[in-house]
Amino acid sequence: MRDIAIAIYLVLFTQPAWAELIRATLPNGLNVTAEYNAAKDGNPTVLIVHPLLQTRDFSVIVNLSEALISDGYGVLRPTLSLGIDSRRQSLACEAIHNYSMQDKIDEIAFWKDWLDGKSAGPVIGFGHSSGGTLVAMYEDQQQTSAFKSLILLAPVHYGFPGGTGIDPRQMEQAFIDEKEKQPDRLEQYRLSYCKKFTTPRSHYLEFVRWDEAAVTNLLKGIKVHTDVVYGTADPTLNSSWKLLLEQSNIPISYVSGGNHFFSGFAELDMHDVVLDLIDDQI
Amino acid sequence: MTKSSASGRRPITIMGFSIWAMVSIVIVFTLLVIISYRQIQDAESAFTKQRKLSVARHLAADLAALQEKVEKVAQSYSNADETRQQFHNSQYYLYWRDSRVKDNPAFAPYINRVELYTKRGFPMTSQLSEGFPGQLSLASSFLIQTESDVLYIYHVSRVHGPIKETGMLGFLVIKYNLANLVLTEARLSDIDKATLGFALSVSRINDLIELAAYADFDLLASSDIEDLIGALSNNMITIGMIVPIISIISLVLFTYMMIKPIRNFETLVHELGRQNIEKPASLVFRFDELRNIWRAILDYRELASSMHSDLDEKNKELWELAHHDPLTGCFNRRAFEEDWQHMLGTIEQRRISLAFVLFDCDRFKLINDNYGHNSGDQVLIHISNTIQNNLRAGDRLYRLGGDEFCTILFDSDKAEARAVATRCLTQLDKTDIRELGINEPVRMSIGIAISEGTNSESLHDLQRLADIAMYYAKRPDNQNIAVYDASMLRDSLTLLNNEVITSVYDAISNKEGLQIHYQPIIDLQSNVVHYYEALSRLEHDGKLLYPDVFLPIVQDRFIEAEFDQLVIQHIQRDLGAGRLPAGSGVSINISGAGVTDKQVVAQLGALSEYLDEYHIYIEVTETSLITRLIQASEYLERLRQQGFKISLDDFGSGYSSLGYLTQMPVDCIKFDLSLVQALHKKERKSLVVRSLADMCLKAGYQIVAEGIEDVGLLNTVTGIGFTHAQGYYIGKPDKVPRAPVAT
């Protein structure tokens, strides 16, 4: 019932977003695509990065984009290749994730540069889930601020959730040992919500390094204004992770009842929050 | 009567017909069931064939759909990012091939393996899965080959990039377990999937539909039509089993309900003819029709019984009519013949003593002629009753014809037979025949033949022998009863001698052979020949036949009148020729038949022209005169008036009595030889004869003594007063009238 109401809302109160399909070839030769809607009236453009295994067509991203477009903001929604030429489909956890963290950051940089090339004006970095973490990483790697601000929607870390009793450092060391032996060996790991995330050992270590503390520190180090939005029902926001974020004085906006994907009315609330945050940045 | 029964064909029984009908029904039903069953089988076969064709078409359609499915699977894999990922980076190809392939939404259990090939057709890995070609041949979309008795199909499809500009990335080859693929994805309507197979080992095809030509399968047993056919077949088999059972049960029931009662009924009907049955207690009529038939039979029996009684009476009457003489009431000739034959058959080869007694009424014809047939009939009735009353109990009297009767006396000897015959004659004599309007005695002659037979052959002759005896009995010198003995045989032979018969008929018809011999009769007062008695002789082959030989035949053939005329003619010629001495005379013997015959009387009257010159006597026997007394008296009286003399011949040998004598128109009485000869034998009888002669003389008669063979007798009769005498002593008969030898 609630889903039907949302759909009615989206149809009645959002305008169709006639996006431009952007095809591009990365320096590594992979073809990538994105949808681009130019901003209106000098409004900033939002570069939206989807969660790790999704595409730009992920519904949360699409719906938010349309909301932004509707409000006159420019939106660029790329699909990260994840090592796949012209990727159009989301990837399963068990699929071959033969890409590094940096490969993804480089793709974000590619599209930021593409926006810059379009003289799209100020760009607000937006990422959902792991996309938010990636946007933060990209911004962190820039010597000068790449974005006007960042809005991170339920950003995640790749470390073990708190309370597991396992010392990630020790595990890392063990991985390092293995890596030295067969770094390209494809393995299946528990990563974030994936139980069998399939990736070479070397890549896994890049992911797993970004645990709660690492991400917290990352966010703390971002030079541009960064807003974090969480649903109050997001399971990834466990108590330790939440405590770390709050202790880091990172502004966090909560969407009441929202889960990690802001299902139901929480998605509308999430839109309001995001739009409010962007409005606040202008 | 039907044609079959008429031709003698034996009718069939109801039981036989029932069995035949039941067997026929069973055979017909069985044949129908077999035919129906075969037709059903044929229909099933045709249906199966048609269905197989239909299923084959469906299979082709299934294979077409399967091809679409396979192509969709290939498309799914080709469109998968993970698949195209391998063409750009095949570092982890084996993981993708062995693991990630199964995560594709299009993956299904019948997909055995998936391999990717480069645009040049080379495999992406050197660790190629089993069965995959080392290099693709791009000529066909499908490769089919058998591996470890399992048929696999390799589908080759092209993998293109996500955008047109990317072009073809390489080839996707998916290995399917063909059987699993077909069984899983194809509908296979009406196909027994367990039997589905494809009769090919290695092949390259462009289209899965081509597999239809190699498909081999059995149809599913169950379908509505097959169920229907199966039900029909089962029904046919059931009917085929039930019909004989029902037939047998029906036959048993029919036997119990119908045939058994009908057989009981049949037995009852048979018994009905032997006893009086209304309905036995044991017979239960289960059917109204049988009861009605039974009632109809009873009615019919009653009617038949009535008809039978009538018929019995009619038969009895008919038998009576057929075996009894309607006039006298005694048995007739038919009865005699049957009894005789029966007796012959019964006593054959056995010794038996019996007597055959033949009765014959003397001169019955004269009675009939003189007194009429009614009187004659009354006489016959009287004779029949009298004889029957005097036979032994159980003896049968037969009327053989006319006035002839007979009887068979079983266990009887000569004496008993004669006693019976005598008893009959005595009773007849005692009867006053005048009550019947007959004024003259009725005499019977009885011939008896005795058989103390040894065999039936002797019995065959009895009738003939009795007949012979009968003629003996009729002779004047007999007592009307004669028992056959061997001595009669000669005469009987004579009687039956054809030469004699021929002579008699030659004399009458041809006027040949008759001779008249004249014996003189003298006047005892003058001792001169007063007249000659004309005696008949028949000459045959130089021999003379005497009256005792041929007269019986004349009498038997009833030609006495004719013979009398012949004699008269002969005498007339002799008179005319003057062969008789002048002044003499002639006496002519006229038979009993002749004396009442108009022609004879007329012919005698014609001799009256000689009366002036000759004495003419007409001699008649007293028997012939008495039996025809009235008419004979009339004629003789007429002759007397003309001048003829009437002489009564053989007086004393027959019925002669003084009473009759006075009524007879007689002039002369010739005493019989027995009377004349009695004058010399017994005094008493001689006295009677003398008195009789005296009385006749006093009455005015001439009396003639016959048989005078010596002088003593001649003197005796002369002394008594006889007016005339005749005999060998006086003169023998001769063709030429001669004077006496000694007078």
Side-chain angles (χ1 to χ4, degrees), chain A residues 108-122:
Chain A
I108 293 172
F110 175 83
W111 288 111
K112 174 64 179 61
D113 293 342
W114 183 86
L115 280 175
D116 291 345
K118 293 285 283 184
S119 299

Side-chain angles (χ1 to χ4, degrees), chain B residues 415-584:
Chain B
E416 185 175 13
R418 182 179 284 278
V420 170
T422 301
R423 187 164 65 240
C424 290
L425 278 185
T426 303
Q427 288 301 317
L428 281 170
D429 288 342
K430 285 182 178 176
T431 306
D432 186 0
I433 202 71
R434 284 176 297 184
E435 294 177 359
L436 301 177
I438 306 298
N439 295 320
E440 47 194 291
V442 174
R443 298 286 296 177
M444 296 292 294
S445 295
I446 301 174
I448 302 171
I450 303 297
S451 172
E452 295 174 351
T454 56
N455 52 54
S456 60
E457 289 182 0
S458 64
L459 295 172
H460 287 298
D461 289 335
L462 273 185
Q463 293 181 51
R464 185 174 64 86
L465 300 181
D467 204 39
I468 293 171
M470 167 64 71
Y471 282 105
Y472 263 81
K474 283 182 177 293
R475 290 188 174 183
D477 55 344
N478 286 308
Q479 300 301 311
N480 295 95
I481 297 174
V483 181
Y484 174 81
D485 60 41
S487 64
M488 297 177 181
L489 184 59
R490 181 180 59 82
D491 292 340
S492 68
L493 290 174
T494 302
L495 281 171
L496 300 175
N497 192 322
N498 286 333
E499 292 181 352
V500 177
I501 295 172
T502 302
S503 297
V504 170
Y505 280 97
D506 279 348
I508 295 174
S509 301
N510 302 325
K511 318 296 184 187
E512 294 176 353
L514 177 65
Q515 293 182 8
I516 299 296
H517 288 204
Y518 296 97
Q519 188 177 27
I521 298 172
I522 61 173
D523 183 341
L524 291 177
Q525 287 184 351
S526 60
N527 280 330
V528 298
V529 176
H530 186 66
Y531 61 93
Y532 296 87
E533 180 177 7
L535 300 172
S536 300
R537 305 286 188 268
L538 288 178
E539 183 183 12
H540 183 78
D541 291 340
K543 296 184 296 183
L544 285 180
L545 301 178
Y546 291 89
D548 61 333
V549 172
F550 61 80
L551 280 184
I553 292 175
V554 171
Q555 294 171 0
D556 190 54
R557 298 294 188 272
F558 302 104
I559 52 176
E560 293 152 298
E562 288 82 358
F563 193 83
D564 287 345
Q565 291 178 40
L566 182 65
V567 171
I568 295 170
Q569 288 173 5
H570 201 283
I571 292 171
Q572 188 174 16
R573 280 197 303 273
D574 286 348
L575 287 174
R579 290 179 181 171
L580 291 168
S584 64

